[in-house]
């Protein structure tokens, strides 16, 4: 199908929108859900709730990946856990502590992001290893400092996290979509967005053109941790508390979401619209298989195969194979 | 003696001296704290877990030596323990076919990476979903029944030196020989070092990558078998930390992301460092809670030292 359209040339513009595939996949999955689910819209809304978290971490990771080959943040899952612990601890279950807890949590997130960049910049360690090592350290801080901590999130925060507009549409999802639209504008229209793309396409050229490479990298890594931190706070509120392994599934998914959504893993080509499609796609797979009654294991296998298929569809044959 | 090739390339510091120094820095305090460790049984117990980790690290090293990564290593090793503990005892033929099949899949991945020019990070992330899914399907809860033969092999009493020590020495020597003394090894290092040159010399990079990834899968499978034998458990999540630990091990052992600089000796030593850090903490009576953080810190320190030692190191992505 892909080849046909490319050859015809007419739909080239549409196809150059790489996010298309994730939306097509999500729509196909939703149609399948319509056949098997007694309440397809309910399923869609349930996936939208969880897709909010995928989108948040996906957007952060996307900005980092867009910085160019080798840039990636593996500390996301551990930041989620640590920030969740810190904010819940500061809030101490009281509505009055919410603001302070959010500020404290996000400060921790910003510190992790700055630490990541510091390792990359000053100790000159490749980002993958730097963020891996800092993730190890962040996880240890979370374990040593907060293990066994059982503090319920403040009522107001939980109510906010699970609120549905008109009893239907999850408020969280709407807010995250608004954030995504803002991020889309930042990526496509702002100076910062263009700088990040320029750095991702050719760091040397960007530097020679007078772009402050390191400052923009610092902002991006901090932003990624910031999004992970927001996810950590919201997940704690949503799930009624923090667990150490709360962020684990976001290690692989934070990378899968932008890649499925059409972001180039080689950097220099970010894509925010695809983040929404990819997040919905991944969640709808889970829900579809859940409804059919397929085991957890096969659900994972299928998720893997879908990701592979999308990579395959989006890749091109090398000339010198 | 066997490091001549590495020495000539001026890499001895990075692939031998620093990894060995790291091992000693961690090993000496252990011996000081618990002299009993420096006996046959002590060493055997101390180093047992380095057998599976060093095998997996050597696998990861193959991937990294051609400039790729295997982000599914941990889940692969977990899957293999499940196959060994559940399928192999009841249906030996099916079990073997599955294990060989895994290596086949890995070869396909290697070829796919080159033919479609996609990122190994993404492809192996997708594969890690497949591996964990299969593992959970085969063995939903930890358990299984590891064949006695495998249990006996990994705890065999070898003469003179304990089995883990001998094993790692042999693994390092054979690996080093393959990588530095055979044509195939030269091609692998060539793909990592100068892809274009290998291509222009008329070699099929697709084929080389397929074989290299076959090696990744092969060592991953061996690692899973060894881990199952030592822990006598089949568990999908048994090796979930292996993905990150193997990458860290290769880096501690002097490897790099751009490929072409890897050393098997370094990888085995790196795996040793990563395992021993945990033991040292135990002997210092520090809670195992700190283990992961300590592994991260060791990784940073070694890389920092590496960066100081070779000014060229680590600048590529900075």
């Amino acid at each position: 199908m892909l080849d046909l359209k490319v050859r015809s040339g007419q739909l080239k513009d549409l196809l150059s929108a790489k996010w298309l595939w994730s939306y097509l996949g999500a729509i196909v999955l939703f149609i399948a859900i319509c056949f098997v689910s007694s309440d397809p819209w309910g399923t869609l809304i349930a996936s939208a709730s969880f897709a909010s978290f995928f989108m948040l971490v996906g957007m952060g990771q996307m900005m980092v990946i867009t910085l160019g080959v080798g840039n990636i943040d593996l500390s996301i899952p551990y930041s989620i856990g640590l920030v969740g612990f810190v904010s819940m601890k500061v809030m101490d279950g009281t509505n009055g502590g919410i603001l302070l807890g959010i500020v404290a949590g996000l400060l921790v997130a910003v510190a992790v992001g700055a630490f990541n960049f510091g390792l990359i910049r000053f100790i000159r360690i490749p980002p993958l290893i730097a963020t891996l090592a800092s993730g190890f350290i962040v996880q240890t801080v979370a374990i040593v400092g907060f293990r066994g901590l059982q503090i319920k999130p403040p009522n107001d925060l939980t109510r906010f996290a699970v609120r549905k507009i008109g009893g239907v549409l999850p408020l969280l999802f709407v807010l995250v979509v608004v954030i995504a639209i803002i991020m889309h504008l930042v990526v496509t229209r702002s100076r910062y967005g263009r700088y990040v793309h320029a750095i991702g396409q050719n760091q040397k050229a960007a530097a020679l053109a007078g772009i402050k490479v390191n400052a923009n990298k610092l902002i991006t890594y901090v932003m990624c941790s910031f999004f992970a931190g927001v996810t950590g706070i919201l997940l704690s509120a949503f799930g009624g508390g923090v667990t150490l392994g709360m962020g684990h599934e976001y290690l692989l998914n934070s990378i899968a979401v932008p890649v499925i959504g059409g972001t180039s893993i080689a950097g220099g080509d970010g894509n925010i619209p695809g983040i929404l499609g990819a997040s919905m796609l991944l969640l709808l797979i889970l829900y579809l298989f859940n409804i059919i009654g397929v085991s957890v294991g096969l659900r994972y296998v299928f998720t893997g195969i879908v990701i592979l298929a999308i990579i395959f569809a989006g890749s091109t044959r090398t000339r010198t194979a | 003696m066997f490091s001549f090739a590495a020495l000539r390339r001026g890499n001895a510091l990075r692939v031998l001296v620093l990894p060995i120094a790291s091992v000693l820095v961690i090993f000496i305090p252990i011996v000081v704290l618990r002299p009993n460790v420096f006996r046959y049984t002590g060493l055997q117990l101390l180093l047992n877990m380095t057998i599976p980790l060093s095998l997996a690290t050597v696998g990861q090293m193959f991937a990294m030596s051609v400039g790729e990564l295997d982000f599914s290593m941990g889940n692969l090793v977990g899957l293999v323990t499940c196959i060994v503990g559940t399928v192999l005892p009841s249906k030996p033929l099916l079990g073997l076919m599955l294990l060989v099949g895994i290596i086949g899949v890995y070869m396909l991945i290697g070829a796919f990476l080159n033919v479609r020019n996609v990122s190994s990070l993404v492809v192996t992330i997708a594969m890690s979903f497949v591996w964990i899914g299969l593992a959970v399907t085969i063995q939903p809860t930890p358990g299984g029944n590891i064949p006695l033969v495998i249990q006996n092999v990994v705890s065999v009493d070898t003469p003179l030196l304990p089995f883990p020590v001998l094993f790692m020495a042999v693994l390092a020597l054979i690996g080093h020989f393959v990588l530095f003394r055979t044509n195939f090894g030269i091609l692998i290092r060539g793909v990592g070092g100068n892809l274009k040159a290998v291509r222009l010399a008329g070699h099929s990079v697709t084929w080389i990558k397929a074989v290299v990834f076959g090696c990744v899968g092969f060592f991953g499978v061996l690692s899973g078998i060894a881990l199952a034998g030592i822990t006598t458990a089949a568990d999908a999540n048994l090796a979930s930390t292996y993905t990150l630990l193997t990458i860290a091990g290769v880096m501690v052992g002097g490897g790099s992301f751009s490929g072409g600089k890897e050393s098997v000796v370094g990888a085995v030593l790196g795996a040793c460092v990563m395992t021993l850090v945990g033991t040292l903490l135990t002997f210092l009576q520090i809670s195992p809670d700190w283990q992961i953080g300590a592994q991260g810190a060791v990784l940073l320190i070694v890389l920092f030292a590496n960066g100081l030692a070779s000014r060229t190191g680590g600048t590529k992505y900075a």
Side-chain angles (χ1 to χ4, degrees):
Chain A
M1 202 170 89
L2 174 71
D3 286 335
L4 265 176
K5 283 179 181 169
V6 170
R7 270 184 222 123
S8 74
Q10 291 166 334
L11 289 164
K12 214 174 175 183
D13 279 353
L14 186 60
L15 269 169
S16 70
K18 287 179 186 158
W19 45 266
L20 190 74
W21 294 100
S22 58
Y23 282 88
L24 282 180
I27 290 169
V28 168
L29 282 165
F30 181 65
I31 292 171
I33 285 175
C34 286
F35 281 107
V36 293
S37 169
S38 55
D39 179 18
W41 295 105
T43 311
L44 188 69
I45 284 161
S47 1
S49 282
F50 282 101
S52 319
F53 304 120
F54 276 49
M55 286 176 69
L56 280 172
V57 291
M59 284 189 284
Q61 188 73 276
M62 189 213 82
M63 293 309 291
V64 169
I65 289 175
T66 304
L67 280 175
V69 175
N71 281 290
I72 200 150
D73 186 356
L74 298 186
S75 66
I76 287 177
Y78 313 112
S79 305
I80 290 177
L82 180 63
V83 171
F85 274 123
V86 169
S87 58
M88 289 309 121
K89 175 96 178 171
V90 172
M91 289 177 198
D92 201 23
T94 59
N95 288 334
I98 290 180
L99 193 66
L100 198 61
I102 291 176
V103 171
L106 293 181
L107 280 178
V108 170
V110 168
V112 173
F115 181 62
N116 284 340
F117 175 75
L119 291 178
I120 297 163
R121 170 77 179 86
F122 297 108
I123 314 194
R124 297 195 289 175
I125 302 174
L128 191 129
I129 289 293
T131 55
L132 161 64
S134 91
F136 279 4
I137 294 167
V138 167
Q139 189 184 15
T140 298
V141 174
I143 293 175
V144 174
F146 302 98
R147 191 172 53 187
L149 182 84
Q150 283 180 323
I151 296 181
K152 285 223 171 289
N155 285 333
D156 282 2
L157 193 65
T158 306
R159 234 175 283 144
F160 165 78
V162 298
R163 166 162 289 171
K164 284 179 179 155
I165 298 172
V168 188
L169 203 56
L171 173 66
L172 208 56
F173 179 70
V174 175
L175 287 179
V176 172
V177 169
V178 170
I179 294 175
I181 292 169
I182 296 171
M183 281 301 292
H184 181 64
L185 293 175
V186 166
V187 167
T188 52
R189 300 286 157 86
S190 81
R191 197 179 285 185
Y192 163 74
R194 285 177 192 173
Y195 285 172
V196 168
H197 276 80
I199 294 168
Q201 282 159 22
N202 191 334
Q203 184 171 314
K204 236 178 215 170
L208 288 173
I211 296 173
K212 292 197 175 82
V213 172
N214 286 319
N216 284 296
K217 279 191 174 177
L218 172 66
I219 294 172
T220 309
Y221 274 92
V222 167
M223 186 193 286
C224 182
S225 286
F226 186 86
F227 275 126
V230 174
T231 311
I233 297 171
L234 291 175
L235 261 182
S236 316
F238 195 81
V242 201
T243 55
L244 201 57
M246 188 168 74
H248 278 188
E249 63 172 313
Y250 293 91
L251 178 62
L252 298 182
N253 283 320
S254 76
I255 306 169
V257 164
V259 169
I260 293 176
T263 293
S264 161
I265 194 80
D269 185 12
N271 194 317
I272 289 282
I275 300 279
L276 171 61
S279 304
M280 288 304 290
L281 176 95
L282 285 174
L283 262 310
L284 286 174
I285 295 174
L286 292 185
Y287 275 95
L288 174 64
F289 279 75
N290 207 2
I291 295 167
I292 306 177
V294 173
S295 70
V296 185
L298 289 178
R299 246 182 279 165
Y300 278 126
V301 174
F302 194 75
T303 306
I305 291 171
V306 166
I307 299 177
L308 280 178
I310 289 172
I311 299 165
F312 192 81
S315 68
T316 46
R317 227 189 130 80
T318 44
R319 277 152 298 174
T320 45
Chain B
M1 184 195 86
F2 51 80
S3 65
F4 278 164
L7 273 172
R8 267 200 299 275
R9 288 156 64 238
N11 283 337
L13 191 64
R14 193 167 44 77
V15 301
L16 267 183
V17 178
L18 275 172
I20 289 177
S22 325
V23 171
L24 288 181
V25 165
I26 295 164
F27 190 68
I28 290 172
I30 291 180
V31 175
V32 172
L33 285 166
R34 297 285 159 91
N36 278 340
V37 156
F38 210 65
R39 290 190 188 148
Y40 189 91
T41 331
L43 278 179
Q44 195 160 22
L45 289 173
L46 184 71
L47 296 173
N48 234 347
M49 286 308 280
T50 55
I51 297 176
L53 187 61
S54 60
L55 282 166
T57 308
V58 168
Q60 188 69 261
M61 184 223 67
F62 271 101
M64 288 171 76
S65 67
V66 290
E68 308 282 3
L69 271 178
D70 181 9
F71 228 72
S72 67
M73 182 59 83
N75 288 346
L76 169 73
V77 174
L79 167 64
V80 173
T81 65
C82 293
I83 294 174
V84 170
T86 311
V87 185
L88 216 50
S90 53
K91 295 167 190 147
L93 195 66
L94 179 67
L96 282 176
M97 276 167 59
L98 284 174
L99 294 179
V100 174
I102 287 174
I103 299 172
V105 170
Y106 259 88
M107 293 186 72
L108 279 176
I109 295 171
F112 176 67
L113 288 178
N114 190 55
V115 173
R116 303 291 296 196
N117 196 19
V118 286
S119 147
S120 57
L121 181 72
V122 185
V123 173
T124 54
I125 281 177
M127 285 316 296
S128 72
F129 282 104
V130 175
W131 300 141
I132 187 93
L134 289 175
V136 173
T137 308
I138 293 173
Q139 179 83 41
T141 52
N145 185 14
I146 312 296
L148 267 178
V149 190
I150 295 174
Q151 293 189 34
N152 290 336
V153 167
V154 288
S155 56
V156 69
D157 283 329
T158 42
L160 292 172
L161 285 170
F163 179 64
V165 180
L166 273 183
F167 178 84
M168 282 185 293
V170 171
L171 177 67
L173 282 175
I174 292 178
H176 190 85
F177 179 80
V178 170
L179 218 50
F180 283 86
R181 287 280 177 270
T182 64
N183 287 338
F184 174 63
I186 291 163
L187 280 182
I188 294 179
R189 292 190 299 127
V191 169
N194 193 337
L195 187 71
K196 254 183 201 160
V198 174
R199 208 169 258 162
L200 287 174
H203 297 284
S204 158
V205 177
T206 304
W207 185 236
I208 297 173
K209 284 214 173 170
V211 176
V212 169
F213 264 75
C215 293
V216 180
F218 176 72
F219 280 101
V221 167
L222 286 187
S223 167
I225 295 172
L227 186 63
I230 291 170
T231 58
T232 66
D235 178 357
N237 293 309
L238 193 58
S240 52
T241 55
Y242 268 37
T243 301
L244 304 182
L245 284 182
T246 51
I247 298 173
V250 176
M251 296 298 285
V252 168
S256 73
F257 278 117
S258 42
K261 284 183 178 174
E262 279 57 33
S263 120
V264 185
V265 184
V268 171
L269 289 172
C272 252
V273 171
M274 285 296 145
T275 328
L276 288 177
V277 172
T279 319
L280 176 60
L281 290 185
T282 318
F283 287 166
L284 287 169
Q285 295 182 330
I286 295 171
S287 151
D289 290 351
W290 291 91
Q291 180 170 337
I292 299 173
Q295 283 165 335
V298 167
L299 179 59
L300 289 180
I301 293 167
V302 172
L303 288 183
F304 185 56
N306 256 341
L308 290 182
S310 57
R311 278 278 158 209
T312 51
T315 48
K316 195 182 171 193
Y317 300 107

